């Protein structure tokens, strides 16, 4: 981390300083919200979380060598601290200041589906030319983004930062910290409708990123999306990508290679640029790759560099990670789910050879139409000729209902994951290809772990 003075932190957060004035000239050597990570010269920021209140660990932070702490209350200590109204807001204000110390390019990524995968692909491509910092995992919220910003070092040339939201105003706040030079929008779908109301509301929330885009910035959108092209009407300079040849970057000649991935020919303005191979299955991956291709073009990479970056992509975490255990193959995609991503995952499973088993859990935060969305997924699973459909969770009773009267395959329902795990060996056979998909809150990684334990 770049060093900065404690007095600069005080000014950035507009707090009230308590302690010996000499410390204001001291260098801050690191910033952390975890007292266990505090070292000599660090600044500790006590965030209030759902399970812990960071203020309970201020004493521990000082013991570990903290130069100073933020606090939302007056402390009984002779150690230096800065009194603030909100530790979280002060953390974000300080991150905004820290971002201002760098002249690097920042790529902001948002959308309803594919943010994290697109982030990984973009970083993979850009790393062929630049020293790239990217968000860890899905560090895309009000804490994750400032944590990413504080990982910036002087050697970084580009930062790729994912931005997520389920409430209005959140992405505006994230963009204020990150100040993106390039804004990428993957798509607008039925996610977080409980809070954002409609897809138009989702678009409004996502497009808040533009409020703090650099004046000479670049906007990259999925031109095949129903709503994103409406941004063009605002007089913005936009690079669009998609299958349609009206897009600035487009794909044709798509060839599906099953679970191995897919290939396509990429063109621009009627001219062929190159062929690409995407080492991850599903037609939806084409759009993620096109977003990364567009980012490479915007940041002046050669076609060969972009092509190599896409080819080197490796899926991460619980996002369509294909695990071949020998006896069975698992498509582990249990990190998150909404109707669009559910259908995309089922499309991938449909390309597999062998008996197709889908274990589908609740999709959360879908608002008033949640039951209908789940019912539709049950019907879609039938259309894709799944051999076994297992629905798990309270809302997923509607997946079962949508499937049970329409499917040629067998359909089962479990109210809880615990019940499923007690019986799962009854429904799985050697040679099966199994999709596991649900919203993060369902924790279906436990089902993945159980299958790995049984069949490894």
């Amino acid at each position: 981390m770049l060093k900065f003075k404690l007095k600069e932190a005080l000014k950035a957060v507009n707090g009230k300083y308590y302690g010996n004035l000499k410390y204001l000239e001291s260098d801050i050597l690191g910033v952390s919200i975890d007292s266990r990570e505090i070292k000599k010269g660090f600044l500790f920021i006590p965030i209030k979380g759902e399970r812990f209140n960071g203020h309970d660990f201020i004493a521990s932070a000082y013991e570990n060598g903290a130069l100073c702490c933020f606090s939302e209350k007056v402390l009984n200590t002779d150690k230096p601290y800065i009194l603030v109204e909100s530790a979280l807001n002060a953390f974000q204000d300080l991150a905004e200041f820290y971002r201002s110390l760098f002249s690097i390019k920042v790529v902001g990524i948002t959308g309803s589906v594919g943010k994290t995968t697109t982030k990984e692909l973009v970083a993979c491509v850009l790393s062929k030319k630049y020293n790239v910092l990217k968000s860890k995992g899905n560090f895309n919220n009000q804490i994750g983004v400032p944590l990413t910003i504080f990982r910036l070092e002087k050697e970084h040339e580009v930062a790729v930062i994912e931005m997520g939201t389920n409430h209005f105003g959140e992405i505006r706040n994230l963009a204020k910290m990150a100040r993106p030079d390039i804004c990428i929008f993957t798509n607008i779908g039925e996610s977080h409708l409980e809070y954002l109301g409609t897809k138009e509301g989702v678009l409004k929330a996502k497009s808040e990123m533009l409020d703090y885009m650099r004046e000479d910035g670049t906007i990259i959108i999925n031109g095949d999306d129903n709503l994103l092209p409406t941004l063009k009407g605002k007089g913005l300079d936009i690079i669009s990508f998609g299958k349609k040849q009206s897009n600035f970057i487009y794909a044709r000649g798509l060839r599906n290679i099953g679970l191995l991935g897919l290939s396509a020919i990429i063109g621009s303005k009627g001219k062929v640029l190159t062929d690409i191979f995407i080492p991850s299955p599903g037609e939806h991956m084409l759009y993620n790759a096109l977003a990364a291709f567009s980012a490479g073009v915007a940041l002046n990479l050669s076609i060969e560099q972009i092509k190599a970056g896409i080819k080197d992509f490796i899926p991460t975490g619980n996002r369509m990670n294909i695990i071949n255990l020998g006896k069975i193959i698992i498509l582990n995609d249990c990190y998150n789910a909404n109707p669009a991503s559910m259908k995309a995952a089922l499309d991938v499973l449909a390309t597999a050879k062998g008996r197709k088993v889908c274990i589908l859990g609740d999709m959360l935060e879908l608002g008033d139409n949640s039951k209908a969305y789940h019912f539709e997924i049950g019907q879609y699973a039938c259309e894709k000729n799944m051999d076994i459909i297992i629905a798990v969770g309270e809302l997923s009773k509607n997946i079962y209902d949508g499937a049970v009267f329409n499917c040629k395959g067998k359909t089962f329902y479990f109210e809880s994951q615990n019940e499923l795990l007690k019986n799962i060996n009854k429904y799985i056979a050697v040679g099966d290809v199994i999709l596991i998909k649900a919203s993060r809150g369902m924790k279906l990684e436990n089902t993945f772990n159980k299958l790995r334990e049984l069949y490894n």
Side-chain angles (χ1 to χ4, degrees):
M1 195 185 90
L2 292 184
K3 296 186 294 185
F4 56 91
K5 302 292 184 183
L6 180 57
K7 66 180 181 182
E8 293 178 290
L10 176 63
K11 181 179 179 181
V13 303
N14 193 29
K16 183 177 181 181
Y17 178 72
Y18 289 80
N20 193 316
L21 294 179
K22 69 177 184 180
Y23 290 112
L24 289 173
E25 296 297 328
S26 298
D27 288 328
I28 292 175
L29 306 180
V31 175
S32 181
I33 62 173
D34 187 339
S35 63
R36 296 168 298 182
E37 296 178 351
I38 293 296
K39 298 177 183 178
K40 186 176 180 180
F42 273 41
L43 173 65
F44 175 59
I45 302 177
I47 304 295
K48 290 180 179 178
E50 293 181 3
R51 294 180 296 171
F52 302 105
N53 185 340
H55 290 74
D56 297 335
F57 302 95
I58 288 178
S60 176
Y62 282 127
E63 289 175 6
N64 289 337
L67 168 66
C68 183
C69 297
F70 287 174
S71 176
E72 296 175 6
K73 59 185 179 181
V74 174
L75 301 177
N76 182 21
T77 182
D78 59 353
K79 302 284 187 179
Y81 70 95
I82 296 175
L83 185 67
V84 296
E85 290 186 11
S86 164
L88 176 58
N89 290 345
F91 182 39
Q92 295 169 346
D93 290 341
L94 190 61
E96 181 182 351
F97 159 75
Y98 188 71
R99 162 68 177 95
S100 72
L101 302 179
F102 296 83
S103 59
I104 67 171
K105 295 290 186 181
V106 171
V107 180
I109 299 174
T110 193
S112 296
V113 180
K115 293 186 296 295
T116 301
T117 301
T118 299
K119 178 257 298 181
E120 294 292 333
L121 266 163
V122 169
C124 200
V125 166
L126 298 183
S127 66
K128 295 301 178 183
K129 181 174 182 177
Y130 302 105
N131 188 318
V132 177
L133 172 74
K134 64 179 180 180
S135 305
K136 289 182 178 179
N138 73 320
F139 274 33
N140 63 11
N141 61 13
Q142 303 298 306
I143 294 176
V145 168
L147 284 174
T148 299
I149 291 172
F150 280 115
R151 289 173 48 227
L152 281 170
E153 302 283 359
K154 61 182 179 180
E155 61 265 24
H156 288 128
E157 298 171 290
V158 175
V160 182
I161 299 179
E162 180 182 341
M163 301 185 195
T165 183
N166 56 13
H167 288 84
F168 291 109
E170 290 181 339
I171 285 189
R172 181 181 295 109
N173 196 33
L174 301 180
K176 186 172 183 286
M177 288 182 271
R179 305 287 170 142
D181 299 89
I182 296 175
C183 293
I184 298 178
F185 296 87
T186 62
N187 45 57
I188 301 299
E190 295 99 348
S191 59
H192 309 301
L193 297 183
E194 182 178 351
Y195 307 108
L196 302 178
T198 63
K199 289 177 70 173
E200 287 73 18
V202 175
L203 174 64
K204 181 180 178 181
K206 301 294 185 181
S207 59
E208 290 173 359
M209 183 164 56
L210 301 178
D211 293 351
Y212 286 96
M213 185 181 72
R214 301 281 184 176
E215 286 187 7
D216 58 347
T218 301
I219 301 167
I220 298 174
I221 67 165
N222 179 344
D224 293 352
D225 186 87
N226 290 331
L227 291 177
L228 284 172
T230 62
L231 293 177
K232 291 184 178 180
K234 298 182 179 181
L236 301 170
D237 184 20
I238 290 176
I239 294 176
S240 63
F241 63 85
K243 294 180 184 177
K244 300 174 183 176
Q245 293 197 19
S246 56
N247 289 302
F248 183 78
I249 300 292
Y250 63 85
R252 61 180 176 83
L254 178 64
R255 189 165 73 92
N256 199 319
I257 318 173
L259 296 184
L260 295 176
L262 57 158
S263 64
I265 296 170
I266 306 301
S268 179
K269 297 181 179 179
K271 296 181 179 180
V272 172
L273 298 179
T274 188
D275 61 310
I276 61 169
F277 171 69
I278 308 167
S280 188
E283 199 167 316
H284 63 286
M285 283 298 302
L286 176 65
Y287 286 97
N288 300 331
L290 287 173
F293 199 104
S294 302
V297 170
L299 285 175
N300 303 312
L301 272 74
S302 70
I303 297 299
E304 289 305 311
Q305 287 172 324
I306 297 172
K307 181 176 177 177
I310 293 173
K311 185 179 179 181
D312 288 348
F313 167 73
I314 299 174
T316 60
N318 297 324
R319 294 174 175 83
M320 196 47 73
N321 199 356
I322 301 173
I323 299 96
N324 190 335
L325 297 178
K327 296 179 181 179
I328 60 173
I329 296 174
I330 301 176
L331 312 185
N332 184 14
D333 197 15
C334 60
Y335 191 85
N336 214 341
N338 57 41
S341 67
M342 274 282 198
K343 290 179 180 179
L346 288 166
D347 288 343
V348 172
L349 181 57
T351 68
K353 296 179 180 179
R355 198 173 70 147
K356 302 168 183 62
V357 180
C358 57
I359 301 174
L360 308 177
D362 293 357
M363 301 178 289
L364 306 178
E365 297 182 4
L366 290 181
D368 294 339
N369 292 323
S370 179
K371 290 183 178 180
Y373 286 129
H374 283 82
F375 189 90
E376 182 182 346
I377 293 302
Q379 292 178 316
Y380 194 79
C382 291
E383 293 172 13
K384 289 297 174 177
N385 297 316
M386 298 296 109
D387 295 293
I388 292 183
I389 300 170
I390 299 175
V392 55
E394 183 179 350
L395 293 171
S396 293
K397 176 61 165 62
N398 298 284
I399 293 179
Y400 173 80
D401 290 341
V404 68
F405 296 117
N406 300 295
C407 281
K408 296 178 182 178
K410 298 178 180 178
T411 307
F412 305 94
Y413 171 68
F414 295 90
E415 187 173 353
S416 72
Q417 183 174 202
N418 286 338
E419 284 203 38
L420 167 63
L421 296 183
K422 291 176 185 177
N423 298 278
I424 196 165
N425 60 323
K426 299 177 183 178
Y427 306 101
I428 305 300
V430 172
D432 284 353
V433 182
I434 305 155
L435 167 68
I436 306 173
K437 180 78 173 168
S439 282
R440 182 72 184 91
M442 291 298 292
K443 299 181 179 179
L444 284 195
E445 64 270 18
N446 294 331
T447 296
F448 165 70
N449 291 332
K450 181 68 174 180
L451 287 173
R452 186 168 56 180
E453 174 188 319
L454 290 172
Y455 292 93
N456 206 352

